[in-house]
Amino acid sequence: MMDALWDFVSHMERDFERIFSSYEKWQVIGGTVIVTLLALFLKDLFYNLNDVWEDLKSWVFRMARKIPPIRNYISDQLDASRKEIEKGMFEDAADDDVPYLKVLPSEGWSKEEVIRVASNVLGGGKYDWKEGKISGGAFAGSDESYSALLVDMFGRYSLANPLHADIFPGARKMEAEIVRMTISLFKGGPEHCGCLTLGGSESLLMACKAMREWGREKGVRTPEIIICYTAHSAFDKAASILGMKIRKVRADPRTFKADLQAMERAITKNTVMLVGSAPQFPHGIIDDIEAIGQLGLKYGIPVHVDCCMGGYLLPFMEAAGYSIAPFDFRVPGVTSISADTHKYGNAPKGSSVIMYSRPEYRHLQYFVTPDWPGGIYATPTIPGSRPGGLVAVCWAALLSHGFSGYTEAARNIVRTARTIKSLISDIPELQLMGDPQAGIVAFTSDKVNILKVGDLMNQRGWHLTYVQYPPGLHICLTSLQATHDFAKNLANDLKKTLAELQQTSDLAVSGIGKVYGTAATIPDKSLIGEAAKIFLTCYYDTGFKEETSSKDI
Ligand SMILES: *Cc1c(COP(=O)(O)O)cnc(C)c1O
């Protein structure tokens, strides 16, 4: 056997000598280099086939859009949508008595003046957000004494900057306490650590940054994050900012949970993070965190649990009497968790907690410049200067609720969500999307146009969230809406809407539903992106009127 092998090798050697003897040495070396590079290129192409296809498609559309008739048509369409968006935005906000300010008043206003004008501006808008017909619009605000506490706390720390821990030691202590209390809610021990950020998106950005550095230390040059397509788009944003790559896997079309086989198949040597959501935003579904943790352990890859939405809801569900699958640091393999205090924590917007299972991971998140002329500069998160007032109000929110307050809130929210679930499953035209366990309930229809349902509900004062792929609507319940009557009102209005839909022959969808309807038919998603950017631009518009001076007000 060995002899045969030896024979074969020496034959090969002789053949090789014969074939290449006619070439110069540099030709052989050059040829080898070219063949190797070609092989690497083909391998890369094979692994990124999907991206190549997407690039090709978007290139074809970009080229097509340069053809004059198509270009003109598209620019007319975009112009029309800009006008429509502007109209909506100015109708909503503009009270003609309060024209837009475009320059600073030359003299400062009196306090009374500031408050008078602000009251006019704040009075705008056609929705009463405290009434609660709005999905996830506000998490708290019905309790006057709670609001007064927040105002008082913000006042005490409104100008504090925790960047200077020596000058504002109180803010530092509160910040450290918020992080520690949140870790203990997620059953972390003394090894677990974290930071306060300004929101869920920043928490996710920080986790991605930490794991990018983790990958770099192991020699990964193009780090990849694997998420289910239902995970929050803040991951896409983080990846785009950090130069990382996102690999999206499908969800089970029936349960809407991340498909774990697809997730396992997507793992490569470049994978630095697996993500599970608890729950995800579109359908309120909690992924199988234990199984994702197992995948992480099997391949030695960090696992992030996006508990931004569920952060101050899920940890209280057991005490509130609802069983829930494991989602916290007790799950083996989980290395980081994000939890928003400004969602179910009922803190004012501008706070979230990012937590890690080991200090090494948090170290990778930090940013330090030792050689800056302005000093040795070190920040834990994105901002430099930070708002002390937001730390103080977040701290006050956590302490004024306490464990029992959040448990009570969780009980009401989950109970209402379950009621809505059962009421909707009794409506024959509607189907629940998966089996949501927490505070979001999504539904769709295989009998009627769900976008039209959203449109008609909107005319009844409801502001439900539109979801897509497939189209549906969701309600994100907050403390403002956690009552039995609320659930019944929602179901009744849905039934009335469906009855109305049977009577009418007008099936045209208007408003936001129209945008989603159109978007679903356009293959070129970059075009929808452009229309969305028009919306962002209109947001900062100060109107068509000429310069307004403060005297006009
Ligand atoms: C809201 C949310 C985020 C992002 O949080 P922001 O505070 O809006 O930046 C991330 N993930 C999920 C699941 C969310 O619901």
Side-chain angles (χ1 to χ4, degrees):
M1 173 72 194
M2 281 309 283
D3 283 352
L5 191 69
W6 183 246
D7 254 16
F8 176 74
V9 171
S10 42
H11 253 105
M12 280 285 292
E13 205 176 346
R14 256 177 279 134
D15 286 351
F16 195 80
E17 288 285 332
R18 206 183 59 241
I19 295 168
F20 286 96
S21 59
S22 56
Y23 293 98
E24 296 290 333
K25 282 205 186 71
W26 67 266
Q27 284 175 318
V28 176
I29 294 172
T32 312
V33 168
I34 288 169
V35 168
T36 311
L37 288 179
L38 195 69
L40 284 175
F41 171 76
L42 287 175
K43 176 170 155 271
D44 209 43
L45 192 71
F46 178 75
Y47 277 111
N48 296 295
L49 219 49
N50 207 15
D51 300 350
V52 173
W53 172 237
E54 288 301 319
D55 284 354
L56 193 70
K57 239 176 26 185
S58 86
W59 181 83
V60 168
F61 278 113
R62 268 208 314 278
M63 288 302 128
R65 282 165 57 183
K66 292 210 163 101
I67 302 167
I70 299 182
R71 192 180 57 203
N72 294 342
Y73 174 77
I74 289 175
S75 100
D76 286 353
Q77 292 292 312
L78 286 176
D79 224 40
S81 54
R82 181 181 56 78
K83 292 211 179 85
E84 203 166 316
I85 295 169
E86 263 176 355
K87 198 168 136 254
M89 206 155 312
F90 286 95
E91 257 173 14
D92 283 353
D95 181 343
D96 273 343
D97 298 342
V98 194
Y100 281 89
L101 295 160
K102 297 186 183 178
V103 288
L104 268 181
S106 46
E107 300 290 329
W109 292 358
S110 70
K111 292 191 191 79
E112 294 73 27
E113 188 70 353
V114 171
I115 289 171
R116 187 185 67 77
V117 175
S119 320
N120 284 347
V121 175
L122 289 173
K126 58 176 183 264
Y127 296 99
D128 178 4
W129 60 268
K130 286 188 188 173
E131 195 201 349
K133 280 175 150 180
I134 295 171
S135 168
F139 282 74
S142 54
D143 179 348
E144 294 295 333
S145 73
Y146 178 60
S147 302
L149 170 69
L150 298 179
V151 170
D152 180 60
M153 284 300 287
F154 194 89
R156 288 167 198 263
Y157 284 85
S158 58
L159 299 174
N161 179 3
L163 179 65
H164 304 292
D166 49 348
I167 307 172
F168 302 103
R172 186 208 67 79
K173 181 165 183 281
M174 284 194 258
E175 201 164 335
E177 287 171 350
I178 293 167
V179 172
R180 184 47 58 189
M181 288 188 284
T182 309
I183 289 171
S184 80
L185 277 181
F186 281 82
K187 305 293 191 283
E191 271 281 285
H192 292 76
C193 57
C195 295
L196 192 69
T197 68
L198 291 173
S201 301
E202 193 193 349
S203 288
L204 297 180
L205 180 73
M206 290 294 88
C208 293
K209 193 232 175 215
M211 296 322 164
R212 183 188 71 177
E213 307 306 311
W214 175 85
R216 276 189 180 161
E217 287 188 349
K218 297 181 357 143
V220 176
R221 275 182 306 150
T222 38
E224 299 175 2
I225 305 165
I226 302 181
I227 63 173
C228 180
Y229 84 104
T230 54
H232 200 274
S233 76
F235 285 105
D236 295 88
K237 190 195 277 185
S240 130
I241 292 171
L242 295 165
M244 299 170 82
K245 193 169 144 182
I246 289 269
R247 276 182 188 270
K248 289 192 188 182
V249 302
R250 65 196 281 282
D252 182 304
R254 198 176 48 84
T255 64
F256 286 96
K257 288 189 186 193
D259 181 329
L260 292 160
Q261 280 169 352
M263 194 169 261
E264 182 160 14
R265 277 197 303 274
I267 293 174
T268 71
K269 62 180 192 329
N270 291 333
T271 310
V272 298
M273 188 180 194
L274 304 178
V275 171
S277 305
Q280 36 95 318
F281 176 82
H283 319 102
I285 300 296
I286 302 172
D287 289 329
D288 187 345
I289 302 300
E290 277 184 305
I292 298 176
Q294 283 306 317
L295 269 187
L297 288 176
K298 181 171 168 191
Y299 293 92
I301 301 168
V303 171
H304 181 82
V305 179
D306 178 5
C307 207
C308 283
M309 179 57 84
Y312 269 75
L313 185 71
L314 266 53
F316 305 98
M317 275 179 62
E318 215 169 274
Y322 293 101
S323 67
I324 176 164
F327 61 92
D328 56 24
F329 280 122
R330 286 174 295 183
V331 177
V334 169
T335 49
S336 54
I337 301 180
S338 49
D340 286 2
T341 40
H342 74 189
K343 284 191 175 157
Y344 287 110
N346 292 343
K349 293 293 179 229
S351 66
S352 165
V353 179
I354 173 70
M355 299 168 274
Y356 297 97
S357 60
R358 289 196 287 139
E360 290 84 346
Y361 292 127
R362 183 171 63 170
H363 253 75
L364 296 167
Q365 175 199 298
Y366 293 157
F367 184 82
V368 178
T369 321
D371 55 355
W372 182 45
I376 301 169
Y377 191 79
T379 50
T381 49
I382 292 288
S385 302
R386 291 205 306 281
L390 289 183
V391 175
V393 286
C394 176
W395 186 83
L398 264 49
L399 292 176
S400 70
H401 284 83
F403 195 88
S404 67
Y406 286 126
T407 304
E408 183 61 24
R411 185 176 296 124
N412 294 333
I413 288 164
V414 177
R415 187 199 293 130
T416 309
R418 305 269 159 115
T419 308
I420 290 176
K421 239 167 74 171
S422 82
L423 290 174
I424 286 182
S425 52
D426 288 342
I427 302 178
E429 291 93 338
L430 302 180
Q431 293 88 45
L432 291 169
M433 298 173 96
D435 181 24
Q437 297 295 307
I440 293 176
V441 179
F443 52 93
T444 182
S445 175
D446 56 12
K447 300 200 173 61
V448 295
N449 180 357
I450 197 71
L451 299 176
K452 182 72 183 174
V453 174
D455 195 14
L456 293 174
M457 284 294 277
N458 192 242
Q459 287 165 25
R460 291 178 184 273
W462 290 90
H463 196 293
L464 301 173
T465 305
Y466 287 86
V467 302
Q468 45 178 359
Y469 310 116
L473 295 169
H474 92 203
I475 174 101
C476 171
L477 291 165
T478 71
S479 282
L480 289 177
Q481 308 144 330
T483 62
H484 190 68
D485 281 351
F486 178 84
K488 271 186 21 202
N489 283 345
L490 173 64
N492 284 342
D493 275 359
L494 277 170
K495 282 184 203 155
K496 282 186 204 157
T497 293
L498 288 161
E500 188 183 338
L501 200 54
Q502 287 217 315
Q503 301 302 315
T504 179
S505 56
D506 172 22
L507 293 177
V509 182
S510 61
I512 278 287
K514 182 175 163 193
V515 176
Y516 280 99
T518 315
T521 62
I522 299 178
D524 183 8
K525 298 299 171 207
S526 72
L527 205 56
I528 299 161
E530 256 168 66
K533 283 182 182 174
I534 292 178
F535 175 85
L536 298 180
T537 305
C538 289
Y539 181 94
Y540 284 101
D541 225 332
T542 47
F544 323 99
K545 298 190 186 81
E546 277 316 297
E547 223 84 317
T548 311
S549 91
S550 57
K551 280 193 227 81
D552 302 335
I553 294 185

